Amino acid sequence: MRLSSPTQLSEADASPTVENLVQAATAARLMRDYEAADEYLDATWNALGPVVNNLITNSLWLAAASGDGVSGVQRTFRELSEAFYFSPIQISNWAGNFPEILASGEYDEMALRFSPDSDDPAYRCACLNTVAWVHRLAGRHDEAAAVWASAVGPERAANIDAIEDMDAQAAQRGQYARDLARAGMPDEARRQLEQSMATPVSAGGLPNAQRRWAQAYAELGDAEGAVAQLEPLLTANS
């Protein structure tokens, strides 16, 4: 049943949910107000963005957390790719959080085309983390370390120093320590890790910081240190 078009527009303006915005776009189109229809469609896409991102993120986290392993994350991402179009840079962004996506090698050629100066806008990206992972997974550890080294300059430490939220600062510094270790700078990595672990962290922020500390210990080859950070996470809602 078709609702009153003016009612649909006012409902979308008062409560811009995805459903209301789509109905308003349809109503505006039927009233031949194509400019308004276009604006409502743009608003719909903007509202859908966080929903889609959360759907993809939770799907990938579920594959990892439920014990499906690397192949499960890869399978889930392939299924998501059938439902959503991912540009090369979007694939790189997802692989930054889920490097399991890259383990099969199917995106190697794509990743090695990335360049900040690329003639093709679809590949105009440094995408350092993705490129480094591609090298590491292919066994090219020196090349991977060189790429990570280009992402751990002193300006990054200065930016971390400027973070006022201590929870965020501890987590970011732990991640920085991890990347320094990946870049083949273990002494500075340990120094940053110690500084991160000395940062006052709230109970709510501790699990995220411990995750980063565990990653840094692992990259430094300290399995005992990594396990010490991971053990409490196994019994926490994290």
Side-chain angles (χ1 to χ4, degrees), residues 21 42 125 144 195 200:
L21 289 168
D42 282 344
C125 172
Q195 187 174 346

Side-chain angles (χ1 to χ4, degrees), residues 2-12 19-38 40-41 44:
R2 206 175 114 189
L3 302 176
S4 166
S5 294
T7 299
Q8 289 172 306
L9 300 184
S10 61
E11 286 181 354
E19 182 179 2
N20 286 347
L21 289 168
V22 170
Q23 289 182 346
T26 302
R29 174 174 54 78
L30 293 174
M31 291 188 295
R32 295 182 174 82
D33 188 345
Y34 303 125
E35 184 177 352
D38 188 50
Y40 281 119
L41 284 176
T44 304

